Amino acid sequence: MCAVSLPPAYTWQIGRGGGNRTEDFDELFRAQFPTVARSLGLVVGNREEGIELAQEAFARACARWDRYQSPEHVRNSVMRIGVNLARSEARRRKKFSNTAIETLPDEGHPSEGEDTPSRLVIVDALRTLSDRQRTCIVLMDYAGMDSREVAGVLRIPSGSVRTHVVRARRRLRLLLDEGTEEAHL
Amino acid sequence: VNERDPLVALRLRDVDAAWKIDTDDELRRFHMSAEPSDDRAPHPRRRGIANVTLLGLAVVCLLVALVLTTRGTTAPTISEASRQPGVQPAPGIATGTGGQIAANPGSSLDAIDGAGANDIWAVGETHGKSGTNHSLVLHWDGTGWTTTTAPDVGGLIAVDAISPNDAWALGYTGLLHWNGAEWTTQALPRGNYVALSASGPGDIWVAGTRNGPFIGANSRGLSSVAAHFDGSHWTVMRPPNPGTRDDYLTGIVALSPTDVWAGGYLVDLGKGSAEASSLTMHWDGQGWSVVAAPNPSRSLNVIWGMGSDGAGGVWALGDYRASDRHLRALVFRWNGQSWVVVDVEGTSTWSAQAVGGTPSGPVWVVGSPATSSLAIANCNETTCDTVVPPTEFDVTASSIFAAAPDDAWIVGVSRGQRSTPLIEHWDGSHWIEADVPLVTGT
């Protein structure tokens, strides 16, 4: 139903053949976009890229709109599309999930000074993880998905998700402690 | 495990404050790109509409005028192309599809190179439904662009045409070789290679990054990697890693077996260090050595591509963050002794990606800003004039090949609701959008 010819304020009907729930698309987008965009941004290490990936993912989700059963279904699907896009886009644009490529001036971003490096400690820490670990930890500990949902997004067994998450948390805790020490030096 | 880790979750929440997102603005962008638009114009998938200056608006108007004019110019070619078997004009251009998704949805072009004016390869990718990418190869035979069958090694990101019977294309998951009759897959050493260049049949180079430290200062991040193919064997090189955290190679250009340049950027450990500093290195036939490159910005300097201007000159292309925090094109030229910063005229914010030229013709630098717009600059040894400035449109230039002063090609992508391949041609006086054969998405 998310077709190009629909007016902007159309309502969105979940489920095939006019299921029994309707949701306002705009509300659903407003509710999900920031989390999806920031999650993807964390996966690729770049806010702007995350926003573009989320836009593209929502656009692609439109093509299969009538298949969705619930808002969670939409979110998981959009996340899956976005994660897959991120994986390929990162290489296509020669970007290695590096904060170095977060280059756009950012309104609302704290102004840069000698002592306030613009990169986020957590983004740096995430970069040291494998792609899988990073994606798993972001989807679980940031986006709030459970391991079964993450497994669906990545199409891997949920046991593997748990393993990735345990290792990622262990490593992040080490790094974040280290980062705190560094900051006090 | 299904409970959130409190410390990690807390730190992840830092992005909520640091990465502001204007949801209403994003929703407007979404609807804007989803709304039916004029078939002739790229989808105006805009960002930061409030930031558009009067100059920016003027530029947009000029580009719209240019696009409309050039479409008219190319119209006869479109109908001609449609008569060729296997080649169809982009439906959005020739017939219009009622404002539906544009032609060639979900595909893009990333690199171009030619063995001659009538033997040019443009490579890229088509997007699968779940975000997987597949190889896309187009060929120019002097009369039109056609799709060419090739094994799938994921999206293609670099191409080098040595002769009509010898061309190489680098993909996400492998390497392709053209022997004059067909594309076949070739072995490639391990590593994330993103750049390819060849000075001849027995001198093929790839460069990129791999996990883990190799040597030098780099102790815990990603390392630069380069590999050389002599026609029968690969040799994996271990270039210097001056960055204490990460060293990235993103571009390579081979002029001869004893004269190869690679470029990228490095990241140092430490709170006060720059986010990225430019990195260039040279192969003299014996070994790699780091060559000091300028850093116009204190905080961020990135080289995205290395190239030759067609007259033996070596250029490094990328971007840096200016004092106003905007992104500016970074263009260096090697003068034989050191890198010289080439001034880029205008205040537009964009990122240089590729260089091309001929001994007697103009030197072109093309690129895109972070807002994904096409930019074309005409350069001499000291200055680049932006001839097609970046606009609000989502049109990206990735690569350029110049066959003659009045014959050059740019490839890239138009990003509307879904991305579509872009090819622009220079006829000596204008840049004109060329017909792209219909690429069947997967």
Side-chain angles (χ1 to χ4, degrees):
Chain A
M1 287 301 287
C2 190
V4 289
S5 57
L6 291 174
Y10 56 87
T11 56
W12 176 63
Q13 199 153 32
I14 297 174
R16 237 176 256 278
N20 53 10
R21 283 179 67 194
T22 54
E23 294 274 337
D24 181 71
F25 172 81
D26 287 8
E27 286 310 309
L28 188 121
F29 184 97
R30 280 197 188 92
Q32 295 192 349
F33 188 85
T35 303
V36 171
R38 290 198 189 101
S39 299
L40 295 172
L42 285 167
V43 168
V44 299
N46 179 308
R47 169 187 175 271
E48 295 302 321
E49 189 84 0
I51 290 174
E52 290 309 309
L53 288 167
Q55 281 279 357
E56 182 72 17
F58 271 102
R60 291 190 186 196
C62 281
R64 54 184 82 163
W65 213 240
D66 61 347
R67 296 185 207 167
Y68 295 126
Q69 307 297 322
S70 68
E72 292 73 32
H73 190 188
V74 173
R75 182 197 61 175
N76 294 352
S77 174
V78 166
M79 209 71 99
R80 173 172 161 71
I81 296 169
V83 164
N84 282 331
L85 282 170
R87 202 178 297 159
S88 46
E89 281 282 296
R91 287 199 65 177
R92 196 184 70 73
R93 296 192 185 180
K94 304 178 181 179
K95 291 178 179 178
F96 295 92
S97 311
N98 192 318
T99 49
I101 37 98
E102 189 191 318
T103 45
L104 268 189
D106 180 2
E107 290 163 32
H109 199 282
S111 65
E112 234 184 341
E114 285 294 334
D115 300 318
T116 54
S118 64
R119 58 170 175 254
L120 289 156
V121 173
I122 186 68
V123 175
D124 275 357
L126 285 171
R127 290 190 63 259
T128 68
L129 304 177
S130 72
D131 288 349
R132 275 277 156 81
Q133 287 177 353
R134 186 167 55 243
T135 308
C136 289
I137 197 94
V138 165
L139 294 184
M140 283 190 71
D141 283 353
Y142 179 74
M145 292 180 166
D146 62 32
S147 57
R148 192 180 43 82
E149 288 176 311
V150 176
V153 167
L154 291 175
R155 299 276 157 94
I156 58 177
S158 53
S160 305
V161 172
R162 286 193 288 272
T163 308
H164 287 311
V165 165
V166 166
R167 287 180 185 158
R169 282 176 182 164
R170 196 182 299 149
R171 179 150 179 78
L172 282 182
R173 274 184 165 273
L174 269 173
L175 288 168
L176 292 174
D177 287 346
E178 191 180 301
T180 315
E181 279 165 29
E182 261 178 18
H184 288 303
L185 287 178
Chain B
V1 172
N2 268 333
E3 295 289 314
R4 289 191 195 189
D5 181 293
L7 173 69
V8 172
L10 186 70
R11 301 309 289 267
L12 285 166
R13 285 286 156 201
D14 287 351
V15 297
D16 288 352
W19 290 358
K20 297 270 189 251
I21 290 176
D22 184 336
T23 311
D24 287 329
D25 190 46
E26 295 300 331
L27 185 61
R28 271 194 299 276
R29 284 180 64 213
F30 180 86
H31 284 307
M32 206 177 293
S33 67
E35 279 168 13
S37 66
D38 184 343
D39 289 336
R40 295 160 189 253
H43 289 269
R45 188 139 159 205
R46 285 174 292 177
R47 145 197 329 281
I49 191 165
N51 294 337
V52 176
T53 60
L54 284 175
L55 176 68
L57 282 170
V59 162
V60 170
C61 294
L62 275 172
L63 191 86
V64 169
L66 176 72
V67 167
L68 293 176
T69 314
T70 54
R71 293 287 189 180
T73 316
T74 54
T77 326
I78 290 169
S79 47
E80 192 176 293
S82 62
R83 285 197 295 273
Q84 294 173 18
V87 184
Q88 295 175 44
I93 298 167
T95 58
T97 51
Q100 293 300 310
I101 293 171
N104 293 324
S107 48
S108 56
L109 291 169
D110 281 323
I112 184 168
D113 195 32
N118 297 329
D119 182 14
I120 302 171
W121 296 101
V123 301
E125 66 193 25
T126 59
H127 303 304
K129 277 181 181 166
S130 55
T132 53
N133 294 331
H134 307 284
S135 302
L136 169 63
V137 180
L138 303 183
H139 184 254
W140 171 261
D141 61 2
T143 57
W145 287 98
T146 50
T147 52
T148 303
T149 308
D152 187 11
V153 291
L156 296 168
I157 48 183
V159 64
D160 197 310
I162 300 166
S163 73
N165 299 325
D166 192 5
W168 296 82
L170 177 66
Y172 300 155
T173 60
L175 184 67
L176 295 180
H177 180 249
W178 171 257
N179 62 7
E182 61 175 351
W183 286 96
T184 53
T185 52
Q186 300 289 314
L188 185 67
R190 277 186 63 190
N192 292 322
Y193 298 103
V194 295
L196 165 82
S197 182
S199 77
D203 191 39
I204 293 101
W205 294 81
V206 291
T209 306
R210 61 184 296 173
N211 289 321
F214 264 141
I215 50 170
N218 181 329
S219 59
R220 58 190 227 188
L222 299 168
S223 301
S224 63
V225 62
H228 176 254
F229 186 64
D230 63 6
S232 54
H233 294 100
W234 280 100
T235 306
V236 179
M237 311 261 176
R238 301 186 172 195
N241 283 295
T244 50
R245 193 178 75 183
D246 299 320
D247 296 88
Y248 299 87
L249 288 182
T250 53
I252 192 164
V253 55
L255 303 174
S256 81
T258 57
D259 187 9
V260 182
W261 287 89
Y265 58 99
L266 61 88
V267 181
D268 281 322
L269 286 167
K271 192 158 166 273
S273 57
E275 286 178 48
S277 307
S278 56
L279 169 64
T280 63
M281 55 182 78
H282 183 254
W283 169 262
D284 61 4
Q286 302 295 318
W288 286 98
S289 48
V290 173
V291 176
N295 282 300
S297 162
R298 224 171 31 151
S299 61
L300 183 125
N301 307 271
V302 175
I303 292 172
W304 291 122
M306 301 288 288
S308 163
D309 57 18
V314 175
W315 298 60
L317 302 316
D319 52 55
Y320 68 96
R321 184 185 290 146
S323 51
D324 60 3
R325 303 199 72 226
H326 284 266
L327 196 66
R328 292 282 152 72
L330 174 152
V331 182
F332 302 151
R333 186 183 55 80
W334 181 252
N335 70 0
Q337 304 293 323
S338 62
W339 290 109
V340 177
V341 177
V342 179
D343 290 327
V344 178
E345 299 290 318
T347 55
S348 301
T349 64
W350 56 289
S351 166
Q353 301 279 330
V355 66
T358 52
S360 55
V363 174
W364 300 101
V365 168
V366 301
S368 346
T371 44
S372 300
S373 305
L374 173 92
I376 304 171
N378 188 342
C379 307
N380 60 31
E381 290 194 348
T382 55
T383 313
C384 288
D385 276 324
T386 314
V387 292
V388 176
T391 72
E392 283 294 299
F393 292 139
D394 275 352
V395 182
T396 301
S398 305
S399 181
I400 177 162
F401 169 68
D406 61 352
D407 185 9
W409 297 87
I410 289 173
V411 295
V413 56
S414 300
R415 292 181 191 281
Q417 188 179 21
R418 302 193 64 185
S419 54
T420 61
L422 174 81
I423 302 181
E424 296 267 348
H425 181 250
W426 171 255
D427 62 5
S429 55
H430 296 96
W431 284 102
I432 297 170
E433 191 170 337
D435 304 324
V436 180
L438 184 65
V439 178
T440 312
T442 43

